[in-house]
Amino acid sequence: MTESPLRVDALMREIEGDVLERLRRHVIKRGGASEYQNEAIFEHVRDVLARAADERNLDALLLPELLDGDAEWELQTRLDLSTHRPGLIGGTILWAKRRILLPLTRWLFEYSQDNFRRQHHLNRVLLACIEELAIENARLRRDVSELSKKS
Amino acid sequence: MKLACVVHRFGANIAGGSEGHCRLIAEHLAARHDVTIVTTCAHDHITWKNHYPPGASDVGPLRVLRFPVARERNLHRFMDISDSVFGDRATPEEQEQWFRENGPEAPELLEYLRQHGREYDRVLFWSYRYYDAYFGVPLVADRAVLVPTAEEDPLIHVDALGPLFAQPAGFLYLTPEEAELVGARAPAGKPSAVIGCGLDPAPASLDLSGLDALGLVDPFVLYLGRVDPNKGCEALIRHFVQYAESGRRVQLVMAGPANMPIPEHPLVRPLGFVDEGTRDALLARAHILMMPSPFESLSMVLLEGWNRGLPALVNARCRVLRGQVLRADGGLYYRNGMEFGAALDYLLDHPTESRVLGAQGRAYVDREYRWPTVLARIEKLLAETA
């Protein structure tokens, strides 16, 4: 029986370290970037991407705000049934779309909607990755600029 | 004190987390206080269809007042407005409308609070996301105590919650993570307490013979709860099947009603709904408790597992679960399939360490989640909100 208490954070550091090393070897074996031969570079790349994927609040990103005015970039997962026809004819067409066409094609709609949601999530993670890299770049620029001022 | 506990649905066979939490807390508070449950006639959490008769009844030590739901939930309208609200494109009016569409819309319940709410010393509300809490808290704000049961889902970022969280006299939280999440949106200085939920010590002896007929294989790991994609079960099955393909002979037992197809696999054993006795026996005989949910405000199942000395393997993407495991030193966590496999390997290959992790989990429950401790925290908060 183990006498001293087991610390989960220490155990997890060990497990995460092993997994990271296995992942590095796996990616290299499959022809991944040669830079990954260097453990420190691999770890740094993984940290930057993991920060974007796990720690960034995907609802508070800069790039979507910048994109917002120029283009419709968000996937529209909601189904808006409409018609350009006015009055009774328009109402009848909408009724037929809702009550007849939609139930008939619901499986296709739901299948697509699920995939759209996944794609939307992936888009947001990729936007977060770009932002994380931009932040890293800005930090490096600031550090280089301060160093060149000093020298 | 005269206390009202407002909750969107109430009943002995209602399995929901916040509803069960409300029932347990109310039953224990009733030993010292006059407690009334104010709720709706709904039983089904999807449609909110009226099921129970309206009016007053007694359930054990509790007086229960039920009010009819004015309209059932229209799922298409609800999904549409959810897309708009969570996509950050909704006006304040649309955000408020979201809480009506989410329901259960029970205007008579609000009218009761308006007319009689001040007859209670404190009015406790469960789950900020439902109609009764969102529109009810402002009616009795000076004596309202909100149990938000907030999760890190898109709703928590909606602007309409700022005014809501400014209203109650105090908050009861389930975990420190939830306190941080809601605290960031609530005015500073409001009385609050992190209470979790109370548990009685698990009985020492159990009849495990009921498990013989279930076709279980030793060792098995246990998922207990609704089998649902929103609970992370798709990812759990995917990770587990991938793990099993490595040749490891361990069974995944899933005990709970299924809201999704469970793939046929020789090492995945779905049991469907199980009774209390089977549930306890499964917890007593399992090797590891799996908690794959990405959103939780408190995992009661995790506490029940620790109550039986069971180590846990949880989804690290859920801050609450990861926080619970780290505070308890009661298990491991994973973010992806590789970490899932490595952590599961560790727990299965190190039985002594697994037992220690489970025992540390039980010690954590002893320290934090026994009823006298939990009730003392609630009483202190009720006194502070005077």
Side-chain angles (χ1 to χ4, degrees), chain B residues 205-265:
Chain B
S205 63
L206 259 182
D207 178 15
L208 302 183
S209 60
L211 298 184
D212 294 344
L214 297 180
L216 307 182
V217 174
D218 260 332
F220 69 84
V221 299
L222 177 66
Y223 170 80
L224 203 53
R226 207 170 68 230
V227 182
D228 191 304
N230 292 331
K231 293 283 177 191
C233 291
E234 274 180 352
L236 170 66
I237 293 172
R238 196 172 59 244
H239 292 329
F240 181 81
V241 168
Q242 195 181 2
Y243 177 77
E245 278 166 9
S246 69
R248 188 94 202 209
R249 193 164 165 73
V250 56
Q251 192 181 41
L252 169 64
V253 174
M254 305 187 85
N259 288 353
M260 57 174 260
I262 301 175
E264 283 203 20
H265 188 281

Side-chain angles (χ1 to χ4, degrees), chain A residues 1-2 4-9 11-12 14-16 19 22-23 26 46 53-54 57 59 65 74-80 102 106 109-110 113-114 117-118 124, chain B residues 76 79-81 83-84 86-89 154 157 234 317 325-326 328-336 338-339 341-343 346 352-357 359-360:
Chain A
M1 187 77 183
T2 307
S4 56
L6 269 179
R7 295 301 310 269
V8 168
D9 48 1
L11 270 180
M12 283 308 308
E14 204 178 299
I15 290 170
E16 285 164 346
V19 167
R22 269 199 286 143
L23 183 61
H26 175 73
R46 184 258 181 201
D54 294 335
N57 177 356
D59 293 315
E65 299 292 335
E74 277 195 281
L75 289 175
Q76 179 62 270
T77 54
R78 164 182 172 181
L79 182 69
D80 280 326
L102 185 59
R106 181 161 295 286
F109 169 58
E110 281 168 3
Q113 199 177 37
D114 208 26
R117 287 209 170 106
R118 282 181 200 177
R124 297 199 320 153
Chain B
H76 292 303
M79 299 277 271
D80 281 351
I81 199 166
D83 274 351
S84 171
F86 300 155
D88 208 15
R89 298 186 299 270
H157 302 295
E234 274 180 352
R317 291 181 196 278
V325 160
L326 282 167
D329 279 319
L332 300 177
Y333 49 82
Y334 62 91
R335 285 185 191 78
N336 51 49
M338 283 182 87
E339 288 183 1
Y346 181 91
T352 305
E353 284 80 358
S354 281
R355 271 196 298 277
V356 172
L357 289 171
Q360 289 177 170

Side-chain angles (χ1 to χ4, degrees), chain A residues 81-92:
Chain A
L81 293 175
S82 59
T83 175
H84 65 282
R85 292 177 198 277
L88 186 65
I89 299 176
T92 311

Side-chain angles (χ1 to χ4, degrees), chain B residues 236-319:
Chain B
L236 170 66
I237 293 172
R238 196 172 59 244
H239 292 329
F240 181 81
V241 168
Q242 195 181 2
Y243 177 77
E245 278 166 9
S246 69
R248 188 94 202 209
R249 193 164 165 73
V250 56
Q251 192 181 41
L252 169 64
V253 174
M254 305 187 85
N259 288 353
M260 57 174 260
I262 301 175
E264 283 203 20
H265 188 281
L267 291 174
V268 178
R269 177 80 179 95
L271 297 179
F273 175 82
V274 295
D275 59 33
E276 281 293 312
T278 309
R279 183 186 164 90
D280 285 345
L282 286 167
L283 282 168
R285 214 172 100 187
H287 277 60
I288 301 158
L289 181 77
M290 316 299 277
M291 267 307 295
S293 177
F295 302 120
E296 286 289 332
S297 52
L298 170 78
S299 173
M300 277 301 292
V301 173
L302 193 55
L303 300 183
E304 285 177 51
W306 283 333
N307 205 22
R308 294 219 158 264
L310 196 58
L313 180 56
V314 308
N315 183 353
R317 291 181 196 278
C318 176
R319 288 181 63 222

